[in-house]
Amino acid sequence: MTSGWTVDDWLAAYRSGSTPSELLLPLLDKLSLSDVTWISLVDRAHLEQQIKTLEDRQYATNDEKLLPLFGVPFAVKDNIDVAHLSTTAACPAFAYTPTTNAFVVEQLTLGGAIVIGKTNLDQFATGLVGVRSPYGAVPNAFNVEYISGGSSSGSASVVARGIVPFSLGTDTAGSGRVPAGLNNIVGLKPTKGALSGTGLVKACRTLDCISVFATTVADASAVFEICRGFDAADGFSRSKPASVVSSDLPARPCFGIPAVAEFYGDEQSANAYEDALKQIEASGAVLKRIDFTLFDQVAALLYNGPWVAERYAAIEKFAVSNAEDMHPVVREIIFQAKKYSAADTFNAFYQLADLKRMADQIMADVNGLLVPTAPCHFKITQVEADPIRLNSQLGKYTNFVNLLDWCALAVPMGFRADGLPFGLTLIAPAWHDEQLAQYGRRLQEQLALTRGATGRPFLR
């Protein structure tokens, strides 16, 4: 009954007289850990306690207006803490059970949202593929032979299949965008520090962002606004500077696009991209072709430079003592850290500073960048046979964004000829999240790519 509902659909049901128990308990009964997208689910007692806490809070206010996420279920990537549910980061030997919620989870529950479970991921959030997990490879929501994308694979899947209206993921190199593009949903990658990292298993702490998946930009943006905020407990949490003034994008925004887009031989994605650009131009936007070589140079720093050492630093103690418990591909990537020196790290920071200065100059001439979210779709068997090279190709248009301290929004743009989704990503400077959301909402309205018009599968 609730399959495929948006946040507004859930709230409308409650306003019409339904209760959280009537809607959420049957939803939980339908779910099973045999579904590879889940690592853990709340039990009935945990769900009933959440409902009781919610109803006590709502009715104690004597306010007929519902909390903004009253009784709305959501899922959490299993590298983000939920009190009394194990956090594994897709590594059973690493697992621990927190007693408190991550900051963003707490903000959402205070807003009325209900946690349903924790989702599968590429181990330690290392990958864009969704297959590097001992819990199994998460398949694409439209064709089970293909990857879901990662590392936030499970969080994307449960939204794409209509199980929950939104979920939390993370994004260091594209993990909150690639799965969105491959599964026909929205992926909101906020400005670094806009969402607190307290309660997050770090991958690259200087780059990590908690992200939001939803079926509509409106839902993703609303969730982001509820869970954002400065957190003094997180040294990387930031408030929006007063000098940054929010302003609407012009009626005819100008977006920079790659002068020559790379699809690694995937003609179906290339054709879908050209179709998408025609739709963007028809909506009134102006497209300016720019050389993306500089962004490739930035992206190369992430995995072909000392930033990989930050992944090692995040789990160093565990990696040293439990190397055999790690997924072999993840271990291979993270242990590359040993070949870099402190001098290499400083030199890379200097190089990034110079590249960022040039990138900001490019961005100053447009209202944002517009790129393919993922340049190709791969079968699970292809990625398992060639895990690192194909993963790198998926990050072609995502890897540089966090290094440059920019924000991004992945939006669905329909389907390729073979029925697999295709999406575009909007990119803008830090703290321009609202402008991206504004254009994303406008785009979804104009192209009729909101829920119900996409043909996406709901709970099966």
Side-chain angles (χ1 to χ4, degrees), residues 126 308 311-312 315 326 330-337:
T126 301
V308 73
R311 290 185 181 269
Y312 181 77
I315 58 166
M326 297 173 65
V330 173
R331 182 174 62 241
E332 178 184 348
I333 293 169
I334 290 179
F335 275 66
Q336 290 182 47

Side-chain angles (χ1 to χ4, degrees), residues 161-183:
R161 292 157 57 203
I163 298 173
V164 293
F166 76 91
S167 65
L168 294 181
T170 63
D171 190 309
T172 303
S175 295
R177 289 164 278 159
V178 168
L182 297 184
N183 289 280

Side-chain angles (χ1 to χ4, degrees), residues 247-257 277 279-289 363-370 426-428 432 435-443 446:
S247 59
D248 292 344
L249 287 176
R252 290 178 55 82
C254 177
F255 294 116
I257 64 171
L277 292 185
Q279 294 179 82
I280 294 292
E281 289 183 307
S283 73
V286 176
L287 303 180
K288 177 181 180 181
R289 297 186 182 274
M363 183 66 84
D365 291 333
V366 292
N367 296 116
L369 302 183
L370 187 67
L426 300 153
I427 303 169
H432 285 66
Q435 287 92 329
L436 291 186
Q438 175 208 38
Y439 182 76
R441 287 192 295 269
R442 185 198 313 173
L443 185 62
Q446 290 174 337

Side-chain angles (χ1 to χ4, degrees), residues 213-251:
F213 294 110
T215 56
T216 68
V217 176
D219 278 359
S221 181
V223 170
F224 169 62
E225 291 299 328
I226 289 168
C227 59
R228 75 185 301 179
F230 179 74
D231 174 17
D234 175 14
F236 285 87
S237 179
R238 299 193 287 176
S239 296
K240 183 177 179 179
S243 58
V244 178
V245 179
S246 295
S247 59
D248 292 344
L249 287 176

Side-chain angles (χ1 to χ4, degrees), residues 332-386:
E332 178 184 348
I333 293 169
I334 290 179
F335 275 66
Q336 290 182 47
K338 296 182 178 181
K339 68 183 182 182
Y340 295 105
S341 68
D344 292 331
T345 302
F346 279 107
N347 286 329
F349 271 110
Y350 304 150
Q351 183 182 1
L352 176 60
D354 291 337
L355 291 170
K356 178 169 172 54
R357 182 63 57 84
M358 292 184 282
D360 286 342
Q361 291 171 350
I362 292 173
M363 183 66 84
D365 291 333
V366 292
N367 296 116
L369 302 183
L370 187 67
V371 298
T373 300
C376 12
H377 275 273
F378 295 121
K379 289 185 176 181
I380 293 173
T381 53
Q382 289 178 288
V383 172
E384 290 175 338
D386 191 0

Side-chain angles (χ1 to χ4, degrees), residues 93-366:
F94 178 81
Y96 63 92
T97 302
T99 57
T100 58
N101 289 327
F103 182 93
V104 292
V105 173
E106 185 68 11
Q107 296 303 108
L108 292 171
T109 59
L110 289 174
I114 300 289
V115 178
I116 289 294
K118 306 287 291 295
T119 56
N120 203 353
L121 65 149
D122 284 316
Q123 190 176 82
F124 295 117
T126 301
L128 293 172
V129 288
V131 305
R132 301 172 181 172
S133 170
Y135 298 96
V138 177
N140 189 281
F142 291 83
N143 187 328
V144 296
E145 293 185 1
Y146 285 80
I147 63 169
S148 60
S151 60
S152 308
S153 50
S155 286
S157 178
V158 295
V159 171
R161 292 157 57 203
I163 298 173
V164 293
F166 76 91
S167 65
L168 294 181
T170 63
D171 190 309
T172 303
S175 295
R177 289 164 278 159
V178 168
L182 297 184
N183 289 280
N184 200 49
I185 60 175
V186 171
L188 188 155
K189 200 295 296 180
T191 297
K192 288 191 303 179
L195 298 186
S196 167
T198 298
L200 168 67
V201 177
K202 307 301 187 289
C204 291
R205 191 179 178 193
T206 61
L207 302 178
D208 292 339
C209 298
I210 291 178
S211 64
V212 180
F213 294 110
T215 56
T216 68
V217 176
D219 278 359
S221 181
V223 170
F224 169 62
E225 291 299 328
I226 289 168
C227 59
R228 75 185 301 179
F230 179 74
D231 174 17
D234 175 14
F236 285 87
S237 179
R238 299 193 287 176
S239 296
K240 183 177 179 179
S243 58
V244 178
V245 179
S246 295
S247 59
D248 292 344
L249 287 176
R252 290 178 55 82
C254 177
F255 294 116
I257 64 171
V260 180
E262 175 63 77
F263 294 97
Y264 303 100
D266 190 328
E267 293 184 5
Q268 296 225 21
S269 286
N271 292 336
Y273 175 65
E274 292 301 323
D275 289 342
L277 292 185
K278 292 176 183 176
Q279 294 179 82
I280 294 292
E281 289 183 307
S283 73
V286 176
L287 303 180
K288 177 181 180 181
R289 297 186 182 274
I290 60 177
D291 184 354
F292 261 60
T293 303
L294 182 148
F295 302 115
D296 292 336
Q297 294 174 325
V298 174
L301 293 172
L302 192 61
Y303 286 108
N304 299 321
W307 264 271
V308 73
E310 191 171 16
R311 290 185 181 269
Y312 181 77
I315 58 166
E316 180 178 10
K317 184 177 179 180
F318 178 83
V320 169
S321 62
N322 295 76
E324 294 305 311
D325 292 316
M326 297 173 65
H327 188 283
V329 177
V330 173
R331 182 174 62 241
E332 178 184 348
I333 293 169
I334 290 179
F335 275 66
Q336 290 182 47
K338 296 182 178 181
K339 68 183 182 182
Y340 295 105
S341 68
D344 292 331
T345 302
F346 279 107
N347 286 329
F349 271 110
Y350 304 150
Q351 183 182 1
L352 176 60
D354 291 337
L355 291 170
K356 178 169 172 54
R357 182 63 57 84
M358 292 184 282
D360 286 342
Q361 291 171 350
I362 292 173
M363 183 66 84
D365 291 333
V366 292

